[in-house]
Amino acid sequence: MKFKPEPPLSDAELDELAAFLESDATGDECMDLSMLHGFLTAIRVGPREPEPAAWLAQVWGEQGQTPKFASAAQQTRIEDLILRYYNQLGDELVGDMPAFTPLVYVDEETGTDIVQQWCYGFMLGTAMAPEAWQPAMDDDEIAQLLAPIFDCADDEAREAMTADGDNLAEFEHELAAALPDIIPVLRAFWLARLEAAAPRSGHRRH
Protein backbone atom coordinates (compact mmCIF):
# COMPACT_ATOMS: atom_id res chain seq x y z
CA MET A 1 0.00 0.00 0.00
CA LYS A 2 1.67 3.24 -1.13
CA PHE A 3 1.32 6.49 0.72
CA LYS A 4 0.91 9.89 -0.91
CA PRO A 5 1.23 13.28 0.76
CA GLU A 6 -2.00 14.23 2.46
CA PRO A 7 -3.01 17.24 4.57
CA PRO A 8 -3.44 16.72 8.33
CA LEU A 9 -6.90 15.67 9.44
CA SER A 10 -9.18 18.64 10.04
CA ASP A 11 -11.17 18.94 13.26
CA ALA A 12 -14.25 17.83 11.34
CA GLU A 13 -12.45 14.73 10.04
CA LEU A 14 -11.15 13.89 13.50
CA ASP A 15 -14.71 14.19 14.82
CA GLU A 16 -15.94 11.97 11.98
CA LEU A 17 -13.33 9.30 12.76
CA ALA A 18 -13.96 9.49 16.51
CA ALA A 19 -17.71 9.15 15.98
CA PHE A 20 -17.28 6.04 13.82
CA LEU A 21 -14.87 4.38 16.27
CA GLU A 22 -17.40 4.83 19.07
CA SER A 23 -20.49 4.00 16.99
CA ASP A 24 -22.65 0.87 16.97
CA ALA A 25 -20.86 -0.17 13.77
CA THR A 26 -17.82 -1.20 15.82
CA GLY A 27 -17.48 -3.72 18.62
CA ASP A 28 -16.74 -3.16 22.30
CA GLU A 29 -13.04 -3.87 21.72
CA CYS A 30 -12.61 -1.13 19.10
CA MET A 31 -10.08 1.59 19.91
CA ASP A 32 -11.27 5.11 20.55
CA LEU A 33 -9.44 8.07 19.02
CA SER A 34 -6.99 8.59 21.90
CA MET A 35 -6.11 4.89 22.07
CA LEU A 36 -5.67 4.86 18.29
CA HIS A 37 -3.25 7.79 18.54
CA GLY A 38 -1.17 5.97 21.15
CA PHE A 39 -1.21 2.78 19.10
CA LEU A 40 -0.12 4.51 15.90
CA THR A 41 2.57 6.44 17.78
CA ALA A 42 4.18 3.21 19.03
CA ILE A 43 4.16 1.76 15.51
CA ARG A 44 5.50 4.98 13.96
CA VAL A 45 8.42 5.46 16.37
CA GLY A 46 9.19 1.79 16.95
CA PRO A 47 11.95 -0.48 15.65
CA ARG A 48 10.12 -1.44 12.49
CA GLU A 49 6.94 -0.34 10.80
CA PRO A 50 4.62 -3.16 9.75
CA GLU A 51 2.45 -2.81 6.69
CA PRO A 52 -0.90 -1.10 7.39
CA ALA A 53 -2.75 -4.34 6.69
CA ALA A 54 -0.91 -5.91 9.64
CA TRP A 55 -1.97 -3.32 12.20
CA LEU A 56 -5.27 -2.01 10.83
CA ALA A 57 -7.13 -5.11 12.00
CA GLN A 58 -5.94 -4.43 15.56
CA VAL A 59 -7.79 -1.11 15.56
CA TRP A 60 -11.12 -2.91 15.53
CA GLY A 61 -10.24 -5.30 18.35
CA GLU A 62 -7.67 -7.83 19.46
CA GLN A 63 -9.93 -10.77 18.58
CA GLY A 64 -10.18 -9.98 14.88
CA GLN A 65 -13.51 -8.17 14.95
CA THR A 66 -14.53 -6.22 11.87
CA PRO A 67 -16.79 -3.15 11.77
CA LYS A 68 -20.22 -3.20 10.17
CA PHE A 69 -19.50 -0.69 7.43
CA ALA A 70 -22.59 0.75 5.75
CA SER A 71 -20.91 0.48 2.34
CA ALA A 72 -17.61 -0.12 0.61
CA ALA A 73 -17.33 3.64 0.21
CA GLN A 74 -17.60 4.15 3.97
CA GLN A 75 -14.94 1.51 4.60
CA THR A 76 -12.59 3.24 2.15
CA ARG A 77 -13.32 6.61 3.77
CA ILE A 78 -12.65 5.45 7.36
CA GLU A 79 -9.52 3.49 6.45
CA ASP A 80 -8.24 6.51 4.51
CA LEU A 81 -8.74 8.74 7.56
CA ILE A 82 -6.80 6.29 9.74
CA LEU A 83 -3.92 6.05 7.25
CA ARG A 84 -3.76 9.84 6.97
CA TYR A 85 -3.72 10.03 10.76
CA TYR A 86 -0.77 7.63 10.71
CA ASN A 87 1.09 9.68 8.10
CA GLN A 88 0.35 12.87 10.00
CA LEU A 89 2.15 11.40 13.01
CA GLY A 90 5.22 10.77 10.89
CA ASP A 91 5.22 14.39 9.72
CA GLU A 92 5.01 15.60 13.33
CA LEU A 93 8.04 13.56 14.36
CA VAL A 94 10.54 14.62 11.70
CA GLY A 95 12.88 17.57 11.87
CA ASP A 96 14.99 19.08 14.61
CA MET A 97 11.97 20.43 16.48
CA PRO A 98 9.31 17.68 16.55
CA ALA A 99 5.76 18.96 16.89
CA PHE A 100 4.39 15.81 18.52
CA THR A 101 1.40 16.20 20.81
CA PRO A 102 -0.51 13.20 22.20
CA LEU A 103 -4.24 13.22 21.63
CA VAL A 104 -5.64 12.79 25.13
CA TYR A 105 -8.91 13.53 26.89
CA VAL A 106 -9.42 16.30 29.44
CA ASP A 107 -11.39 16.07 32.67
CA GLU A 108 -13.87 18.92 32.27
CA GLU A 109 -14.23 19.41 36.03
CA THR A 110 -10.54 19.60 36.91
CA GLY A 111 -8.96 20.50 33.56
CA THR A 112 -6.42 17.69 33.94
CA ASP A 113 -5.35 15.45 31.07
CA ILE A 114 -6.54 11.82 30.99
CA VAL A 115 -3.90 9.70 29.27
CA GLN A 116 -4.75 6.11 30.23
CA GLN A 117 -6.42 5.30 26.89
CA TRP A 118 -3.48 6.74 24.95
CA CYS A 119 -1.01 4.70 27.02
CA TYR A 120 -3.02 1.51 26.54
CA GLY A 121 -2.97 2.07 22.78
CA PHE A 122 0.79 2.65 22.90
CA MET A 123 1.24 -0.59 24.85
CA LEU A 124 -0.79 -2.46 22.21
CA GLY A 125 1.45 -0.96 19.54
CA THR A 126 4.61 -2.29 21.22
CA ALA A 127 2.89 -5.67 21.61
CA MET A 128 2.75 -5.94 17.81
CA ALA A 129 6.51 -6.66 17.87
CA PRO A 130 7.60 -7.47 21.46
CA GLU A 131 10.92 -9.04 20.49
CA ALA A 132 11.84 -6.07 18.31
CA TRP A 133 11.05 -3.72 21.22
CA GLN A 134 13.22 -5.67 23.68
CA PRO A 135 16.38 -3.54 23.18
CA ALA A 136 14.42 -0.52 24.39
CA MET A 137 13.31 -2.43 27.49
CA ASP A 138 16.92 -3.43 28.13
CA ASP A 139 18.24 0.14 27.85
CA ASP A 140 18.14 1.79 31.30
CA GLU A 141 17.38 5.30 30.05
CA ILE A 142 14.71 4.27 27.56
CA ALA A 143 13.13 1.77 29.95
CA GLN A 144 12.80 4.58 32.49
CA LEU A 145 10.92 6.66 29.92
CA LEU A 146 8.64 3.78 28.95
CA ALA A 147 7.84 2.68 32.52
CA PRO A 148 5.25 5.38 33.33
CA ILE A 149 3.49 4.77 30.00
CA PHE A 150 3.13 1.05 30.72
CA ASP A 151 2.23 1.68 34.38
CA CYS A 152 -0.51 4.10 33.31
CA ALA A 153 -1.97 1.45 30.97
CA ASP A 154 -1.78 -1.42 33.48
CA ASP A 155 -4.64 -1.84 35.97
CA GLU A 156 -2.49 -3.65 38.54
CA ALA A 157 0.19 -0.94 38.42
CA ARG A 158 -2.50 1.71 38.84
CA GLU A 159 -3.95 -0.11 41.85
CA ALA A 160 -0.46 -0.32 43.38
CA MET A 161 0.08 3.42 42.87
CA THR A 162 -3.27 4.16 44.50
CA ALA A 163 -2.37 1.89 47.42
CA ASP A 164 0.89 3.82 47.81
CA GLY A 165 -1.06 7.04 48.10
CA ASP A 166 -0.22 8.39 44.64
CA ASN A 167 -2.67 10.75 42.95
CA LEU A 168 -3.47 9.03 39.64
CA ALA A 169 -5.08 12.10 38.10
CA GLU A 170 -1.96 14.13 38.83
CA PHE A 171 0.26 11.30 37.55
CA GLU A 172 -1.65 11.15 34.24
CA HIS A 173 -1.60 14.93 33.82
CA GLU A 174 2.16 15.08 34.35
CA LEU A 175 2.72 12.14 32.00
CA ALA A 176 0.68 13.82 29.25
CA ALA A 177 2.88 16.91 29.63
CA ALA A 178 6.04 14.77 29.38
CA LEU A 179 5.06 12.77 26.28
CA PRO A 180 6.03 15.48 23.74
CA ASP A 181 9.58 15.13 25.07
CA ILE A 182 9.57 11.34 25.59
CA ILE A 183 8.36 10.28 22.13
CA PRO A 184 11.10 12.08 20.10
CA VAL A 185 13.73 10.48 22.38
CA LEU A 186 12.27 7.05 21.61
CA ARG A 187 12.31 7.79 17.90
CA ALA A 188 15.94 8.95 18.09
CA PHE A 189 16.88 5.76 19.98
CA TRP A 190 15.52 3.53 17.21
CA LEU A 191 16.92 5.69 14.40
CA ALA A 192 20.39 5.50 15.97
CA ARG A 193 20.15 1.71 16.17
CA LEU A 194 19.02 1.48 12.54
CA GLU A 195 21.89 3.68 11.39
CA ALA A 196 24.40 1.67 13.42
CA ALA A 197 23.12 -1.58 11.88
CA ALA A 198 23.11 -0.24 8.30
CA PRO A 199 25.88 -1.61 6.07
CA ARG A 200 28.64 0.85 5.26
CA SER A 201 28.74 1.90 1.61
CA GLY A 202 32.03 3.76 1.50
CA HIS A 203 33.85 1.44 -0.93
CA ARG A 204 36.23 3.10 -3.34
CA ARG A 205 36.15 2.36 -7.01
CA HIS A 206 39.39 1.30 -8.62
Side-chain angles (χ1 to χ4, degrees), residues 41-77:
T41 300
I43 292 172
R44 207 67 164 101
V45 303
R48 59 169 182 254
E49 290 186 42
E51 287 294 317
W55 55 254
L56 191 56
Q58 294 292 310
V59 173
W60 313 124
E62 296 177 68
Q63 307 303 319
Q65 300 93 330
T66 53
K68 297 181 176 67
F69 291 109
S71 63
Q74 185 189 43
Q75 180 175 355
T76 299
R77 169 67 175 170

Side-chain angles (χ1 to χ4, degrees), residues 81-159:
L81 289 176
I82 293 173
L83 290 173
R84 280 177 54 203
Y85 204 30
Y86 177 76
N87 289 339
Q88 181 179 329
L89 262 171
D91 293 339
E92 292 173 358
L93 286 162
V94 298
D96 295 331
M97 297 290 289
F100 174 81
T101 304
L103 191 145
V104 300
Y105 300 118
V106 177
D107 186 313
E108 293 181 0
E109 291 186 9
T110 63
T112 56
D113 292 325
I114 302 170
V115 76
Q116 183 182 11
Q117 294 295 89
W118 189 96
C119 292
Y120 190 71
F122 187 92
M123 185 182 71
L124 291 176
T126 65
M128 291 282 294
E131 291 182 5
W133 272 86
Q134 195 57 47
M137 313 302 180
D138 294 338
D139 183 283
D140 290 343
E141 179 189 355
I142 301 302
Q144 195 170 352
L145 295 177
L146 289 169
I149 298 175
F150 293 142
D151 285 347
C152 184
D154 184 73
D155 287 336
E156 289 185 8
R158 294 173 67 88
E159 289 173 8

Side-chain angles (χ1 to χ4, degrees), residues 10-26:
S10 66
D11 288 343
E13 288 172 327
L14 282 172
D15 289 343
E16 178 186 349
L17 179 56
F20 180 82
L21 293 173
E22 297 180 35
S23 71
D24 292 339
T26 60

